[in-house]
Amino acid sequence: MNILFDERLDGPLPAVDAATTFERLRAALPGMTLLHRDEDRRPFECDGLSAYRVMPMLVALPETVAQVVTLLRTCRELRVPVVTRGAGTGLSGGALPLEQGVLLVMSRFDRILELDPDARIARVQPGVRNLAISEAAAAYGLYYAPDPSSQIACSIGGNVAENAGGVHCLKYGLTVHNVLAVEAITLEGERLALGSAALDAPGYDLLALFNGSEGMLGIITEVTVKLLPRPESAKVILASFDDVEKAGRAVGDIIAAGIIPGGLEMMDNLAIRAAEDFIHAGYPVEAQAILLCELDGVEADVADECQRVREVLAQAGATDIVLARDDAERARFWAGRKNAFPAVGRLAPDYYCMDGTIPRRELPRVLKGIAALSAESGLAVANVFHAGDGNMHPLILFDANRPGELERAERVGARILELCVEVGGSITGEHGVGREKINQMCTQFRPDEITVFHAVKAAFDPDRMLNPGKNIPTLARCAEYGAMHVHNNRLPHPELPRF
């Protein structure tokens, strides 16, 4: 896997003079923090995908929109690429810096600008933590629904950039379904207002385009999100299974019964044992898999759905079905799931977290395929995922200090993603493409589709200076990866313009 920027495959970037860039930015923005010493830049060399590190040339920490506008215009004039970073919790290398570029860190944009309980909206800056929105809205009986496992630390700007999900996105949607409007700035310094606090906005739905755009189209400076009332009642059922494939089939059975849970999560035995040892959530460590099914809403409806889910689970072969006795036990059940990643991190020196999405009906087949890849590679894989919407997070355990193990883990991860595509799924559900999955984009999409993606980026960033080398592969990279076949030294569709 070519995880770092490769000019041969990703296209050349302009030569950049670090000293000139520093002096020009310092002169244009004397009040802005600009880090240039090695010890100051080192903490920003990676995001949550810490296996890959690049020291940024400069790190800028603006505090005002005017500073962001000036920085972007100056960088464009100097032909200096810009990579945007939020809290740095992303898991696909989307905020991986460039050696010859400026890292624009938006963490100081951390204010909740407005919270309107009557309209049920919050207007926030991009550096506001995901959980902080719900904490601020709690006094009004409201909350912000998308809840990624990193919600205590991840920022709303990063959530929009990656279109983050969470354990409750099956019923309440991804970030794109919960964001009403964003304000953004293009590389030219033009301010964009996308979406509306109303039910609809005029023109093309560019708001949806910016959700999941991974910092490639513009810099988000403000986000308006919708808030929901806290459900009157919420119950969690924990179901144990003696077979992973049975648990996978049970997921589809629940949805087929016409029940849409607030959350429907699955963990296999390796993840169960790790989480129980770490959190003491009350998980059955002998089970081969567990399902966590949360049902919420009006008390009478929740009671009825709990009974129906119990019947479906029993028929699907569950060996034990437990209803959380109270809110404390419900919180413990969820704490085990939300801490599964750090829990699995205690099992090996390193792990590689994948993020693929598949049709629910294919869960048993894909779990069987992952088990086969684990056995073939000799690398253990723990499975933790949002089963209800088919968003899988296999965690591949390895030791980077052993020569070749990182590369082996990368190959297993690539094959898992390609298996997701093979069964009709996607290479990402919520972590984004970044640098991590850029080769698998060549498997997911045809050359003419990739060319259209480049055209969309060029409409917002014709100079290719915002987060270059991420998300959308060049056709040269795809040819190198082997997903596109080169005949007579020519790529397919030579008549199409190349960006």
Side-chain angles (χ1 to χ4, degrees), residues 409-430:
E410 288 177 328
R411 287 194 294 273
V412 172
R415 290 179 66 182
I416 289 173
L417 295 179
E418 287 156 13
L419 176 60
C420 291
V421 174
E422 181 184 322
V423 301
S426 168
I427 62 171
T428 181
E430 58 177 339

Side-chain angles (χ1 to χ4, degrees), residues 180-319:
L180 298 172
V182 302
E183 292 188 8
I185 304 173
T186 68
L187 187 65
E188 292 88 349
E190 180 185 0
R191 299 190 186 191
L192 304 177
L194 308 175
S196 166
L199 291 176
D200 198 5
Y204 290 113
D205 189 5
L206 298 180
L207 175 62
L209 183 64
F210 260 72
N211 278 275
S213 60
E214 301 192 27
M216 299 182 65
L217 306 181
I219 312 302
I220 294 169
T221 57
E222 188 178 300
V223 183
T224 300
V225 302
K226 68 179 180 181
L227 304 174
L228 299 178
R230 284 278 177 194
E232 175 185 312
S233 175
K235 303 290 185 182
V236 172
I237 293 173
L238 188 158
S240 307
F241 290 84
D242 58 10
D243 181 81
V244 173
E245 292 183 44
K246 285 182 184 177
R249 282 191 288 270
V251 171
D253 292 344
I254 291 171
I255 306 299
I259 302 165
I260 305 298
L264 185 54
E265 300 289 303
M266 181 172 167
M267 299 166 65
D268 70 4
N269 183 260
L270 190 58
I272 293 166
R273 289 179 178 274
E276 181 60 22
D277 186 50
F278 185 44
I279 295 295
H280 310 296
Y283 289 170
V285 295
E286 74 284 354
Q288 291 304 301
I290 63 170
L291 288 181
L292 285 172
C293 180
E294 179 166 288
L295 302 156
D296 60 10
V298 178
E299 184 75 44
D301 291 344
V302 171
D304 177 64
E305 288 189 341
C306 282
Q307 182 57 38
R308 292 171 61 200
V309 168
R310 279 177 172 274
E311 293 169 1
V312 171
L313 291 170
Q315 192 169 3
T319 56

Side-chain angles (χ1 to χ4, degrees), residues 265-384:
E265 300 289 303
M266 181 172 167
M267 299 166 65
D268 70 4
N269 183 260
L270 190 58
I272 293 166
R273 289 179 178 274
E276 181 60 22
D277 186 50
F278 185 44
I279 295 295
H280 310 296
Y283 289 170
V285 295
E286 74 284 354
Q288 291 304 301
I290 63 170
L291 288 181
L292 285 172
C293 180
E294 179 166 288
L295 302 156
D296 60 10
V298 178
E299 184 75 44
D301 291 344
V302 171
D304 177 64
E305 288 189 341
C306 282
Q307 182 57 38
R308 292 171 61 200
V309 168
R310 279 177 172 274
E311 293 169 1
V312 171
L313 291 170
Q315 192 169 3
T319 56
D320 193 27
I321 303 170
V322 176
L323 177 67
R325 292 165 294 186
D326 50 34
D327 284 344
E329 186 169 49
R330 170 177 167 259
R332 281 198 304 276
F333 284 173
W334 278 125
R337 166 60 187 89
K338 291 218 167 194
N339 287 278
F341 286 12
V344 170
R346 304 167 78 208
L347 302 181
D350 303 281
Y351 71 75
Y352 187 27
C353 176
M354 302 311 298
D355 167 51
T357 301
I358 61 172
R360 283 185 293 266
R361 66 179 181 277
E362 299 291 351
L363 274 170
R365 173 182 170 185
V366 172
L367 288 168
K368 190 173 182 179
I370 291 172
L373 289 170
S374 174
E376 178 187 322
S377 65
L379 299 176
V381 179
N383 285 292
V384 182

